[in-house]
Amino acid sequence: MLNDRQTKLLKIIVEDYVKTARPVSSKAICDILNCSSATIRNEMSYLEETGLLEKTHISSGRVPSEKGYRYYVDHILEPRELNGEDMLRLQTIVNNSSLMLDDYISKSMEIVSEMTNLTAIVLGKSSKDNCVSKVEVVPINEHNLIAIVITDKGHVEHKNLTIKENVSMNDIKQTVDLINKMIIGTQLNEVGKILEYEVKPIIARYVKQHEVLYNAFYTAFTDFAKESVTMTGRKNMLMQPEFNNADKIRDIISKFEDKEIVDKIEENDNGINIYIGSETEFDDDVTIVKMKYEANGEEGTIALVGPKRMEYDKVVALLEYIKENMKEGK
Amino acid sequence: MLNDRQTKLLKIIVEDYVKTARPVSSKAICDILNCSSATIRNEMSYLEETGLLEKTHISSGRVPSEKGYRYYVDHILEPRELNGEDMLRLQTIVNNSSLMLDDYISKSMEIVSEMTNLTAIVLGKSSKDNCVSKVEVVPINEHNLIAIVITDKGHVEHKNLTIKENVSMNDIKQTVDLINKMIIGTQLNEVGKILEYEVKPIIARYVKQHEVLYNAFYTAFTDFAKESVTMTGRKNMLMQPEFNNADKIRDIISKFEDKEIVDKIEENDNGINIYIGSETEFDDDVTIVKMKYEANGEEGTIALVGPKRMEYDKVVALLEYIKENMKEGK
DNA sequence: TTTAGCACTCATATATTGACAATGCTAACA
DNA sequence: TGTTAGCATTGTCAATATATGAGTGCTAAA
């Protein structure tokens, strides 16, 4: 455990380094803590022994280590009060009552990304537990149909179906009616089973080209499971000095293009979670701040990605603000 | 105009430089052209006077200038025959008959991006000239509806509508029926007018809360106009050595994030168009190869973006192959 | 426990050097 | 007239040296 002065010191070093991106020297701190640089150096070397600080080289100033950031986040950090300007920008979105939840979230995150210079990620609301509330089929021409599935939480997915053989409009209608009858109210991830074991046997009896039709719908439904990921402000974060060499940037970009890695962000518990450096499985210089939300029975995850050296207090405050204003029903 | 040997020389230099990314020396060419390096140097210096070649420094080998690439593309380039492996990979997509046009294109471009190490862009089929073929509204709960618009070419867009005041289900149904009656067959970019001048007056008479409903639908339709842009393989192109400094990469990434710049690619005539360096309004080191297509009455644009130093012959061959196989109706 | 002072270390910037890869030019040659 | 050999010239690249300054660790004294 750190004593009062050590805690203050760590806080100062983290926050100064976050601001300037330069190792913090003992001299720079004297004034703030009212003691000489030598005293600071003594304390610094203790914090370094504890593993909370690091030097970039033997005679450099100190930089927070990963453990240092972790300690800061766990024990020192308190959400910063939002400044008036930021508050105002977000407020206009909160107040726009014609926005539905999804739009409220993506718009807010766009702004947050800009305000923090971080990359904002909105992970597709996991629609697995959405229930089918309507299936619709619209013919485009002889061989093409559009299947539309709507869930009870307001998500819509559509898929174009191509049917090679001639299938009568009547058969199609019959199939759709049947599907509607059998699977309304079913959770999306259950639909596959029901189609296979309950719907298929029946249409096999009544519908002539049932194989063709069945396959078309089956692929349509299974495709709906895929989740969407949207990102904004990739460039913002890459402007940070920790990403000032080409290979580093390329690496980060590659990671972003690989959806699997982005998806991994989602596997964790509720509230705001902060993953620092190696904890991210992404990059040792990167921190990911993640928040699950639940509103109107719909849940999702938003995340901010940026250098370890980020304004944790501001980020947390912003996310909490978004969550706060989401609860009030949209 | 270049004589035969000069033409050959330019071709060799372009293709060698494309392959190796290193300035081409006179010595390296002797063998191919059966003459001494001095002779090559004489020819080279002529091509440099003409502005087709450049040096990176006074004693370096030669590199094609922008004008050199332009000359190569205009007068020398002939589409390379696709190699068996590439052909095969694309063929599997061509043969997958359950794919509709859009999917065929995006899947093909994904593969092309991988094969060429370029960034592939599929620009949203300009749906302006699509006609509305159906409008549907599905209620989610008291205050939220989903409006779905389907066009004759099989595009589907949907939008969640929030309605603050209490509106009766009956009013909604009436409005939707009316909209359906009035605007089916109308081009998307005409819908606005018809809504304003023909639909609005009528629902104003028959529907109680017409303002609320009308506004909801109006914003829904106007939003549909927005076009989609998808990109794959950004990272591929950034691996190229011309983008090996951080600022350059940052610059390119920023450009990609700015939709306006990407959209600009679209404003040009049919067939395959190649924009080199400064012609791109993107970056002097970048070439954009763009192809408009039209199939089944639907048109769109695909583009490949990469360094000027790209395999033009391969790129052209691939795009032509895609276009060829698209015509056969999907 | 704090502090002043000093030796020490390392990053950063700049200059120096030699090896090398090309070129341009000139003069000779076919 | 076109081609070529030879050589001086030029700039890149990598390795090495040099100076400067910022910051530390340690010690001894307050």
Side-chain angles (χ1 to χ4, degrees):
Chain A
M1 260 301 140
L2 303 184
N3 67 31
D4 197 49
R5 191 169 67 187
Q6 288 158 349
T7 307
K8 260 190 199 148
L9 182 57
L10 181 57
K11 182 167 150 71
I12 290 168
I13 291 177
V14 168
E15 292 175 1
D16 189 83
Y17 183 62
V18 163
K19 211 185 291 172
T20 65
R22 299 170 163 283
V24 185
S25 74
S26 53
K27 203 170 144 199
I29 299 185
C30 308
D31 295 345
I32 311 178
L33 250 43
N34 279 320
C35 56
S36 81
S37 63
T39 310
I40 307 283
R41 281 204 290 283
N42 287 334
E43 293 286 32
M44 276 175 157
S45 79
Y46 173 76
L47 290 181
E48 186 172 3
E49 268 173 45
T50 330
L52 298 173
L53 294 181
E54 282 172 358
K55 287 186 279 191
T56 60
H57 59 86
I58 194 160
S59 74
S60 79
R62 298 303 206 293
V63 163
S65 67
E66 192 175 303
K67 192 172 161 196
Y69 282 118
R70 171 62 41 219
Y71 189 95
Y72 173 80
V73 165
D74 289 342
H75 301 109
I76 304 180
L77 165 78
E78 39 198 76
R80 182 197 304 180
E81 225 172 287
L82 292 185
N83 71 44
E85 198 191 333
D86 290 351
M87 184 95 92
L88 212 64
R89 286 186 69 188
L90 286 174
Q91 200 65 47
T92 59
I93 296 190
V94 171
N95 289 339
N96 183 340
S97 62
S98 81
L99 289 177
M100 285 197 62
L101 187 61
D102 288 356
D103 294 331
Y104 161 71
I105 289 172
S106 31
K107 288 240 154 75
S108 303
M109 287 302 274
E110 268 170 40
I111 291 182
V112 168
S113 160
E114 222 180 87
M115 292 189 315
T116 57
N117 281 326
L118 301 173
T119 301
I121 301 185
V122 179
L123 285 163
K125 47 275 157 181
S126 60
S127 29
K128 293 168 221 152
D129 58 340
N130 275 217
C131 295
V132 177
S133 86
K134 187 162 192 184
V135 178
E136 179 108 3
V137 169
V138 180
I140 297 301
N141 57 42
E142 252 183 41
H143 295 292
N144 294 307
L145 309 171
I146 294 179
I148 301 172
V149 174
I150 303 168
T151 74
D152 58 340
K153 288 184 183 145
H155 297 153
V156 180
E157 297 278 359
H158 63 91
K159 191 169 164 69
N160 294 357
L161 308 178
T162 303
I163 292 176
K164 271 182 284 186
E165 287 101 308
N166 262 2
V167 177
S168 81
M169 212 35 231
N170 204 32
D171 280 356
I172 293 172
K173 200 169 167 340
Q174 234 178 313
T175 309
V176 174
D177 282 349
L178 187 66
I179 290 178
N180 259 317
K181 209 179 285 170
M182 307 279 298
I183 68 174
I184 279 185
T186 312
Q187 282 195 7
L188 269 184
N189 54 354
E190 301 284 322
V191 166
K193 283 185 223 155
I194 299 199
L195 274 179
E196 179 73 26
Y197 298 116
E198 302 188 25
V199 175
K200 195 177 183 182
I202 302 187
I203 64 168
R205 253 183 287 156
Y206 296 112
V207 177
K208 275 186 201 161
Q209 311 251 8
H210 73 277
E211 278 288 356
V212 187
L213 268 180
Y214 174 77
N215 287 336
F217 278 107
Y218 189 83
T219 59
F221 272 106
T222 48
D223 272 19
F224 292 158
K226 69 170 187 264
E227 303 190 0
S228 77
V229 180
T230 59
M231 275 183 245
T232 47
R234 253 175 296 222
K235 70 176 171 193
N236 292 344
M237 115 174 211
L238 295 175
M239 294 301 168
Q240 299 295 340
E242 27 271 277
F243 307 114
N244 65 353
N245 88 62
D247 288 332
K248 194 89 184 167
I249 297 187
R250 286 168 173 163
D251 191 51
I252 302 280
I253 298 281
S254 301
K255 294 258 168 63
F256 276 136
E257 282 211 357
D258 176 5
K259 295 250 163 142
E260 292 219 4
I261 290 193
V262 176
D263 269 346
K264 267 196 190 155
I265 303 170
E266 187 148 21
E267 325 164 6
N268 228 303
D269 50 327
N270 276 319
I272 294 182
N273 284 81
I274 301 182
Y275 305 90
I276 302 168
S278 64
E279 302 164 8
T280 61
E281 303 183 40
F282 192 98
D283 186 287
D284 282 0
D285 283 333
V286 162
T287 281
I288 299 178
V289 181
K290 187 185 75 57
M291 181 177 77
K292 271 202 181 173
Y293 62 81
E294 197 183 331
N296 312 339
E298 188 174 319
E299 61 177 29
T301 301
I302 53 187
L304 290 168
V305 182
K308 274 193 302 206
R309 189 185 59 75
M310 67 165 66
E311 297 172 283
Y312 291 93
D313 49 357
K314 186 174 184 180
V315 167
V316 169
L318 286 167
L319 289 181
E320 280 181 353
Y321 184 86
I322 290 181
K323 191 166 196 173
E324 228 24 72
N325 287 283
M326 174 159 60
K327 281 184 189 154
E328 304 167 7
K330 297 213 135 266
Chain B
M1 259 300 139
L2 302 184
N3 68 32
D4 197 48
R5 191 168 68 187
Q6 289 158 348
T7 308
K8 261 190 198 147
L9 182 58
L10 181 57
K11 182 167 150 69
I12 291 168
I13 291 178
V14 168
E15 293 175 0
D16 188 84
Y17 182 62
V18 163
K19 210 185 290 170
T20 64
R22 299 170 162 283
V24 185
S25 76
S26 53
K27 202 171 145 198
I29 299 185
C30 308
D31 296 345
I32 312 177
L33 251 42
N34 280 321
C35 57
S36 80
S37 62
T39 311
I40 306 284
R41 281 204 289 283
N42 287 333
E43 294 286 31
M44 278 176 156
S45 79
Y46 173 76
L47 290 182
E48 186 171 3
E49 268 172 46
T50 331
L52 298 173
L53 293 181
E54 282 171 358
K55 287 185 281 193
T56 60
H57 59 87
I58 192 159
S59 73
S60 80
R62 298 305 205 292
V63 163
S65 67
E66 191 174 304
K67 192 172 160 196
Y69 282 118
R70 171 62 39 220
Y71 189 95
Y72 174 81
V73 165
D74 289 343
H75 302 109
I76 305 179
L77 165 78
E78 40 197 75
R80 181 198 304 180
E81 225 171 288
L82 291 185
N83 73 43
E85 197 190 335
D86 289 352
M87 185 94 93
L88 212 64
R89 285 187 70 188
L90 285 174
Q91 200 66 46
T92 59
I93 296 190
V94 171
N95 290 339
N96 182 342
S97 61
S98 81
L99 288 178
M100 286 196 63
L101 186 62
D102 288 356
D103 293 332
Y104 161 72
I105 288 172
S106 31
K107 288 239 153 75
S108 304
M109 288 301 274
E110 268 170 39
I111 290 181
V112 167
S113 160
E114 222 180 88
M115 294 189 313
T116 56
N117 282 325
L118 302 173
T119 301
I121 301 185
V122 179
L123 285 164
K125 46 277 156 180
S126 61
S127 29
K128 292 169 223 152
D129 58 341
N130 275 218
C131 296
V132 176
S133 86
K134 188 163 191 185
V135 177
E136 178 111 4
V137 169
V138 180
I140 297 300
N141 56 42
E142 253 184 40
H143 294 293
N144 294 307
L145 309 171
I146 294 179
I148 300 173
V149 175
I150 303 168
T151 74
D152 57 340
K153 286 180 185 150
H155 297 152
V156 179
E157 297 278 0
H158 64 91
K159 191 171 164 67
N160 294 358
L161 309 179
T162 303
I163 291 175
K164 270 180 284 185
E165 286 102 309
N166 263 3
V167 177
S168 81
M169 211 37 231
N170 203 34
D171 280 355
I172 293 173
K173 199 167 168 344
Q174 232 178 315
T175 310
V176 174
D177 284 348
L178 187 67
I179 290 179
N180 259 317
K181 209 179 283 170
M182 307 281 295
I183 69 175
I184 279 184
T186 311
Q187 283 195 8
L188 269 184
N189 54 354
E190 301 284 325
V191 165
K193 282 185 225 157
I194 300 200
L195 274 179
E196 179 72 28
Y197 298 116
E198 303 188 26
V199 176
K200 194 178 183 181
I202 303 187
I203 64 168
R205 254 183 288 155
Y206 296 112
V207 178
K208 276 185 203 160
Q209 312 250 10
H210 74 276
E211 278 288 354
V212 186
L213 269 179
Y214 173 79
N215 286 336
F217 279 107
Y218 189 84
T219 60
F221 272 106
T222 47
D223 271 20
F224 293 156
K226 67 170 188 268
E227 303 190 0
S228 77
V229 180
T230 61
M231 276 184 242
T232 47
R234 252 175 297 219
K235 71 176 171 196
N236 292 344
M237 113 174 213
L238 294 176
M239 294 301 167
Q240 298 296 340
E242 26 273 276
F243 307 116
N244 65 353
N245 89 62
D247 287 333
K248 195 88 184 170
I249 297 187
R250 287 168 172 164
D251 192 50
I252 302 281
I253 298 281
S254 301
K255 295 259 169 62
F256 275 136
E257 282 211 358
D258 176 5
K259 296 250 162 142
E260 290 220 5
I261 290 193
V262 176
D263 269 346
K264 266 195 190 154
I265 303 170
E266 186 148 21
E267 326 164 4
N268 227 302
D269 50 326
N270 275 318
I272 294 182
N273 285 82
I274 301 183
Y275 305 90
I276 301 168
S278 65
E279 301 164 10
T280 61
E281 304 183 40
F282 192 98
D283 185 288
D284 282 359
D285 283 333
V286 162
T287 280
I288 299 178
V289 182
K290 185 185 75 58
M291 182 175 76
K292 271 201 180 175
Y293 61 81
E294 196 182 332
N296 312 339
E298 187 175 320
E299 62 179 28
T301 300
I302 54 188
L304 290 167
V305 182
K308 275 193 303 205
R309 188 186 59 75
M310 67 165 66
E311 297 172 282
Y312 291 93
D313 48 357
K314 186 174 185 181
V315 168
V316 170
L318 286 167
L319 288 181
E320 280 181 353
Y321 184 86
I322 290 181
K323 192 166 195 171
E324 230 25 71
N325 286 283
M326 176 158 59
K327 279 184 190 155
E328 302 164 9
K330 297 216 133 262

Short mmCIF file of all heavy atoms in Angstrom, two decimals, chain A residues 5 35-36 39 41-42 57-59, chain C residues 1-6 9-11:
data_model
loop_
_atom_site.label_atom_id
_atom_site.label_comp_id
_atom_site.label_asym_id
_atom_site.label_seq_id
_atom_site.Cartn_x
_atom_site.Cartn_y
_atom_site.Cartn_z
N ARG A 5 1.67 10.55 0.31
CA ARG A 5 2.50 11.27 -0.65
C ARG A 5 2.80 10.42 -1.88
O ARG A 5 2.81 10.91 -3.01
CB ARG A 5 3.81 11.72 0.00
CG ARG A 5 4.56 12.68 -0.89
CD ARG A 5 5.69 13.35 -0.18
NE ARG A 5 6.74 12.41 0.17
CZ ARG A 5 7.80 12.75 0.92
NH1 ARG A 5 7.91 13.96 1.41
NH2 ARG A 5 8.73 11.86 1.19
N CYS A 35 8.65 19.97 -2.06
CA CYS A 35 9.87 19.40 -1.51
C CYS A 35 10.92 19.38 -2.62
O CYS A 35 10.61 19.69 -3.76
CB CYS A 35 9.63 18.02 -0.93
SG CYS A 35 8.91 16.89 -2.10
N SER A 36 12.10 18.98 -2.31
CA SER A 36 13.16 19.05 -3.30
C SER A 36 13.09 17.87 -4.25
O SER A 36 12.44 16.86 -3.98
CB SER A 36 14.52 19.04 -2.62
OG SER A 36 14.85 17.71 -2.30
N THR A 39 14.11 14.47 -2.79
CA THR A 39 13.07 13.76 -2.05
C THR A 39 12.16 13.00 -3.01
O THR A 39 11.85 11.82 -2.81
CB THR A 39 12.21 14.76 -1.25
OG1 THR A 39 13.09 15.61 -0.52
CG2 THR A 39 11.28 14.04 -0.33
N ARG A 41 12.90 12.03 -5.87
CA ARG A 41 13.64 10.90 -6.46
C ARG A 41 13.62 9.68 -5.54
O ARG A 41 13.48 8.56 -5.99
CB ARG A 41 15.06 11.32 -6.77
CG ARG A 41 15.17 12.11 -8.04
CD ARG A 41 16.55 12.01 -8.64
NE ARG A 41 17.57 12.72 -7.86
CZ ARG A 41 17.73 14.04 -7.86
NH1 ARG A 41 16.93 14.80 -8.60
NH2 ARG A 41 18.67 14.62 -7.15
N ASN A 42 13.75 9.96 -4.24
CA ASN A 42 13.68 8.84 -3.31
C ASN A 42 12.34 8.12 -3.41
O ASN A 42 12.29 6.89 -3.51
CB ASN A 42 13.90 9.34 -1.88
CG ASN A 42 15.35 9.71 -1.63
OD1 ASN A 42 16.24 9.18 -2.29
ND2 ASN A 42 15.58 10.63 -0.71
N HIS A 57 15.04 4.80 -19.95
CA HIS A 57 16.46 4.45 -19.94
C HIS A 57 17.02 4.90 -18.61
O HIS A 57 16.35 5.62 -17.85
CB HIS A 57 17.21 5.08 -21.10
CG HIS A 57 17.14 6.58 -21.12
ND1 HIS A 57 18.00 7.38 -20.43
CD2 HIS A 57 16.25 7.40 -21.70
CE1 HIS A 57 17.69 8.64 -20.62
NE2 HIS A 57 16.61 8.68 -21.39
N ILE A 58 18.25 4.55 -18.32
CA ILE A 58 18.74 4.68 -16.95
C ILE A 58 18.68 6.09 -16.39
O ILE A 58 18.46 6.28 -15.21
CB ILE A 58 20.18 4.11 -16.83
CG1 ILE A 58 20.53 3.93 -15.35
CG2 ILE A 58 21.17 5.00 -17.54
CD1 ILE A 58 21.66 2.98 -15.15
N SER A 59 18.84 7.07 -17.21
CA SER A 59 18.81 8.44 -16.67
C SER A 59 17.58 9.22 -17.10
O SER A 59 17.61 10.43 -17.17
CB SER A 59 20.07 9.19 -17.12
OG SER A 59 19.98 9.53 -18.48
P DT C 1 11.52 8.23 8.29
OP1 DT C 1 10.10 7.88 8.10
OP2 DT C 1 12.59 7.40 7.70
"O5'" DT C 1 11.70 9.71 7.76
"C5'" DT C 1 11.05 10.76 8.44
"C4'" DT C 1 11.54 12.05 7.85
"O4'" DT C 1 12.92 12.27 8.22
"C3'" DT C 1 11.50 12.08 6.32
"O3'" DT C 1 10.82 13.25 5.91
"C2'" DT C 1 12.98 12.10 5.91
"C1'" DT C 1 13.61 12.80 7.11
N1 DT C 1 15.05 12.50 7.34
C2 DT C 1 15.92 13.58 7.46
O2 DT C 1 15.58 14.74 7.38
N3 DT C 1 17.25 13.23 7.68
C4 DT C 1 17.75 11.95 7.77
O4 DT C 1 18.95 11.78 7.97
C5 DT C 1 16.80 10.88 7.63
C7 DT C 1 17.25 9.46 7.72
C6 DT C 1 15.51 11.19 7.42
P DT C 2 10.52 13.54 4.43
OP1 DT C 2 9.23 14.22 4.34
OP2 DT C 2 10.81 12.32 3.65
"O5'" DT C 2 11.64 14.62 4.11
"C5'" DT C 2 11.65 15.83 4.85
"C4'" DT C 2 12.88 16.61 4.48
"O4'" DT C 2 14.06 15.86 4.84
"C3'" DT C 2 13.02 16.91 2.98
"O3'" DT C 2 13.08 18.31 2.83
"C2'" DT C 2 14.31 16.21 2.56
"C1'" DT C 2 15.06 16.10 3.89
N1 DT C 2 16.04 14.99 4.00
C2 DT C 2 17.37 15.31 4.22
O2 DT C 2 17.79 16.44 4.33
N3 DT C 2 18.19 14.21 4.34
C4 DT C 2 17.84 12.87 4.24
O4 DT C 2 18.68 11.99 4.36
C5 DT C 2 16.45 12.63 4.01
C7 DT C 2 15.94 11.22 3.90
C6 DT C 2 15.60 13.69 3.89
P DT C 3 13.01 18.92 1.39
OP1 DT C 3 12.36 20.24 1.50
OP2 DT C 3 12.49 17.91 0.49
"O5'" DT C 3 14.54 19.16 1.08
"C5'" DT C 3 15.30 19.95 2.00
"C4'" DT C 3 16.77 19.88 1.64
"O4'" DT C 3 17.29 18.57 1.92
"C3'" DT C 3 17.07 20.14 0.15
"O3'" DT C 3 18.01 21.19 0.09
"C2'" DT C 3 17.68 18.84 -0.34
"C1'" DT C 3 18.27 18.27 0.95
N1 DT C 3 18.46 16.80 0.96
C2 DT C 3 19.71 16.30 1.26
O2 DT C 3 20.68 17.00 1.51
N3 DT C 3 19.80 14.93 1.25
C4 DT C 3 18.80 14.04 1.00
O4 DT C 3 19.00 12.83 1.02
C5 DT C 3 17.51 14.62 0.69
C7 DT C 3 16.34 13.74 0.38
C6 DT C 3 17.40 15.97 0.69
P DA C 4 17.97 22.19 -1.09
OP1 DA C 4 17.49 23.50 -0.59
OP2 DA C 4 17.29 21.55 -2.25
"O5'" DA C 4 19.51 22.31 -1.42
"C5'" DA C 4 20.42 22.58 -0.35
"C4'" DA C 4 21.80 22.07 -0.71
"O4'" DA C 4 21.84 20.62 -0.58
"C3'" DA C 4 22.25 22.39 -2.13
"O3'" DA C 4 23.58 22.89 -2.06
"C2'" DA C 4 22.17 21.06 -2.86
"C1'" DA C 4 22.42 20.05 -1.74
N9 DA C 4 21.78 18.75 -1.92
C8 DA C 4 20.49 18.50 -2.28
N7 DA C 4 20.18 17.23 -2.33
C5 DA C 4 21.37 16.59 -1.97
C6 DA C 4 21.70 15.23 -1.83
N6 DA C 4 20.83 14.23 -2.04
N1 DA C 4 22.96 14.94 -1.46
C2 DA C 4 23.82 15.94 -1.25
N3 DA C 4 23.62 17.26 -1.35
C4 DA C 4 22.36 17.52 -1.72
P DG C 5 24.33 23.39 -3.32
OP1 DG C 5 25.23 24.48 -2.90
OP2 DG C 5 23.34 23.60 -4.39
"O5'" DG C 5 25.23 22.13 -3.68
"C5'" DG C 5 25.96 21.48 -2.63
"C4'" DG C 5 26.78 20.36 -3.24
"O4'" DG C 5 25.97 19.16 -3.31
"C3'" DG C 5 27.24 20.64 -4.68
"O3'" DG C 5 28.54 20.11 -4.84
"C2'" DG C 5 26.23 19.90 -5.52
"C1'" DG C 5 25.96 18.67 -4.64
N9 DG C 5 24.69 18.00 -4.87
C8 DG C 5 23.49 18.57 -5.23
N7 DG C 5 22.52 17.70 -5.36
C5 DG C 5 23.13 16.48 -5.06
C6 DG C 5 22.59 15.18 -5.05
O6 DG C 5 21.43 14.84 -5.27
N1 DG C 5 23.55 14.23 -4.70
C2 DG C 5 24.86 14.51 -4.42
N2 DG C 5 25.62 13.46 -4.11
N3 DG C 5 25.38 15.73 -4.45
C4 DG C 5 24.46 16.66 -4.77
P DC C 6 29.46 20.56 -6.03
OP1 DC C 6 30.61 21.26 -5.45
OP2 DC C 6 28.62 21.21 -7.07
"O5'" DC C 6 29.95 19.16 -6.60
"C5'" DC C 6 30.21 18.08 -5.69
"C4'" DC C 6 30.09 16.77 -6.43
"O4'" DC C 6 28.71 16.33 -6.45
"C3'" DC C 6 30.53 16.84 -7.90
"O3'" DC C 6 31.30 15.70 -8.20
"C2'" DC C 6 29.22 16.86 -8.66
"C1'" DC C 6 28.40 15.92 -7.77
N1 DC C 6 26.93 16.01 -7.96
C2 DC C 6 26.16 14.87 -7.83
O2 DC C 6 26.72 13.80 -7.55
N3 DC C 6 24.82 14.95 -8.01
C4 DC C 6 24.26 16.12 -8.30
N4 DC C 6 22.93 16.16 -8.46
C5 DC C 6 25.03 17.31 -8.44
C6 DC C 6 26.35 17.22 -8.27
P DT C 9 28.76 5.47 -15.53
OP1 DT C 9 28.94 4.05 -15.16
OP2 DT C 9 29.77 6.18 -16.34
"O5'" DT C 9 27.36 5.59 -16.23
"C5'" DT C 9 26.16 5.41 -15.46
"C4'" DT C 9 24.98 5.75 -16.34
"O4'" DT C 9 24.81 7.18 -16.39
"C3'" DT C 9 25.15 5.28 -17.78
"O3'" DT C 9 24.02 4.50 -18.10
"C2'" DT C 9 25.24 6.56 -18.60
"C1'" DT C 9 24.51 7.57 -17.71
N1 DT C 9 24.93 8.98 -17.84
C2 DT C 9 23.97 9.95 -17.96
O2 DT C 9 22.79 9.72 -17.96
N3 DT C 9 24.45 11.23 -18.05
C4 DT C 9 25.78 11.62 -18.06
O4 DT C 9 26.09 12.81 -18.15
C5 DT C 9 26.73 10.56 -17.94
C7 DT C 9 28.20 10.87 -17.94
C6 DT C 9 26.28 9.30 -17.83
P DC C 10 24.04 3.57 -19.40
OP1 DC C 10 23.37 2.31 -19.06
OP2 DC C 10 25.38 3.61 -20.02
"O5'" DC C 10 23.06 4.40 -20.32
"C5'" DC C 10 21.75 4.72 -19.83
"C4'" DC C 10 21.18 5.82 -20.70
"O4'" DC C 10 21.92 7.03 -20.50
"C3'" DC C 10 21.26 5.50 -22.20
"O3'" DC C 10 19.94 5.55 -22.70
"C2'" DC C 10 22.18 6.59 -22.77
"C1'" DC C 10 22.03 7.71 -21.73
N1 DC C 10 23.18 8.64 -21.62
C2 DC C 10 22.95 10.01 -21.57
O2 DC C 10 21.78 10.43 -21.64
N3 DC C 10 23.99 10.86 -21.46
C4 DC C 10 25.24 10.38 -21.40
N4 DC C 10 26.24 11.25 -21.27
C5 DC C 10 25.50 8.97 -21.44
C6 DC C 10 24.45 8.15 -21.55
P DA C 11 19.62 5.30 -24.17
OP1 DA C 11 18.45 4.40 -24.25
OP2 DA C 11 20.85 4.99 -24.92
"O5'" DA C 11 19.13 6.75 -24.55
"C5'" DA C 11 17.92 7.26 -23.97
"C4'" DA C 11 17.60 8.60 -24.57
"O4'" DA C 11 18.72 9.50 -24.34
"C3'" DA C 11 17.39 8.59 -26.08
"O3'" DA C 11 16.39 9.54 -26.38
"C2'" DA C 11 18.75 8.98 -26.65
"C1'" DA C 11 19.26 9.94 -25.58
N9 DA C 11 20.71 9.93 -25.41
C8 DA C 11 21.54 8.84 -25.33
N7 DA C 11 22.80 9.15 -25.16
C5 DA C 11 22.81 10.54 -25.13
C6 DA C 11 23.84 11.48 -24.99
N6 DA C 11 25.13 11.15 -24.82
N1 DA C 11 23.50 12.78 -24.99
C2 DA C 11 22.22 13.12 -25.15
N3 DA C 11 21.16 12.32 -25.30
C4 DA C 11 21.53 11.03 -25.29
#
